[in-house]
């Protein structure tokens, strides 16, 4: 992920998802072998921010998560970037 902090992240077009409580379940509708991905707690929060605010830069997303959980950006940065990479690998988000 080169330049991930300035790229604009969003939920991919061919993704179905639903939220229930503190969980989000997302599924790539294009890949025939795709399996639903369940996001919980902070990961679900990141997804819902992508849905509400996307397209959004990774830096802005890190700030939002840090503010929401009252922690420093350095605490959440690596986790948010790792989550974005995982979601992108599953074709659930795109830049």
């Amino acid at each position: 992920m080169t330049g991930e902090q300035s790229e604009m992240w969003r939920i991919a077009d061919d993704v179905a998802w639903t939220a229930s409580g503190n969980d989000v379940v997302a599924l790539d509708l294009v890949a025939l072998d795709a399996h639903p991905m369940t996001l919980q707690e902070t990961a679900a929060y990141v997804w819902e921010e992508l849905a509400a605010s996307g397209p959004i830069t990774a830096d802005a997303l890190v700030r939002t998560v840090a503010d929401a959980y009252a922690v420093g950006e350095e605490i959440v940065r690596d986790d948010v970037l790792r989550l974005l990479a995982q979601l992108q690998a599953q074709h659930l988000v795109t830049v």
Side-chain angles (χ1 to χ4, degrees):
M1 282 191 331
T2 59
E4 69 268 0
Q5 283 82 17
S6 63
E7 293 174 331
M8 300 297 287
W9 291 87
R10 65 178 180 83
I11 296 172
D13 292 333
D14 295 321
V15 171
W17 65 278
T18 187
S20 177
N22 292 329
D23 295 345
V24 169
V25 178
L27 176 65
D28 173 10
L29 297 175
V30 175
L32 297 176
D33 61 345
H35 296 282
M37 183 172 195
T38 301
L39 305 169
Q40 299 175 316
E41 300 177 16
T42 308
Y45 179 84
V46 168
W47 183 272
E48 291 183 356
E49 280 300 309
L50 283 167
S53 303
I56 186 171
T57 65
D59 279 344
L61 194 53
V62 166
R63 279 191 299 277
T64 301
V65 172
D67 289 346
Y69 289 89
V71 297
E73 291 179 26
E74 68 281 356
I75 301 292
V76 299
R77 179 171 305 282
D78 288 344
D79 290 336
V80 169
L81 296 178
R82 190 174 311 109
L83 176 61
L84 289 173
Q86 291 170 343
L87 293 172
Q88 187 177 39
Q90 295 293 320
H91 307 286
L92 299 174
V93 299
T94 188
V95 290

